[in-house]
Amino acid sequence: MNDRRGEAFHAILEAKYARIINQISEVHNISVEDAMGIFYNSPMLPFLEEGIADLHCRSDKYLAEEIWSDYKSAQYASTTAPSSNSVSTP
């Protein structure tokens, strides 16, 4: 019986993932493929998969915005970090 519940939970999560990806795509006017890349590379994904803090209970819209916010923050950090090429030595 436990195995069947695990399978059901996994199926429900997969459907939730699809809705989150679609939400990211539609709200931010990007392709579904780009939204998938953002979602599956999100640091939040392992927390969703493991059910940590019951994130899977949050709304699709909320999770999509959190994932987008993490993505934009990471983008900003990578563009503002000093590169090793720009450091001059005396």
Side-chain angles (χ1 to χ4, degrees):
M1 183 84 157
N2 234 359
D3 191 35
R4 293 180 91 186
R5 276 192 263 178
E7 288 177 25
F9 181 72
H10 183 72
I12 290 168
L13 272 184
E14 289 296 321
K16 185 163 193 73
Y17 295 170
R19 292 190 307 268
I20 293 168
I21 291 165
N22 281 330
Q23 181 82 20
I24 293 168
S25 174
E26 290 173 7
V27 170
H28 299 289
N29 198 29
I30 61 172
S31 71
V32 171
E33 291 79 12
D34 288 344
M36 285 177 66
I38 291 167
F39 176 79
Y40 284 110
N41 289 301
S42 169
M44 191 179 290
L45 182 59
F47 299 125
L48 283 166
E49 290 175 334
E50 296 299 319
I52 295 173
D54 290 332
L55 283 176
H56 60 282
C57 296
R58 303 284 177 131
S59 74
D60 301 338
K61 182 178 179 179
Y62 171 82
L63 292 170
E65 285 307 309
E66 287 297 311
I67 290 167
W68 182 259
S69 178
D70 286 347
Y71 168 71
K72 294 308 276 183
S73 293
Q75 256 191 341
Y76 177 76
S78 70
T79 60
T80 60
S83 71
S84 59
N85 294 338
S86 65
V87 176
S88 62
T89 55

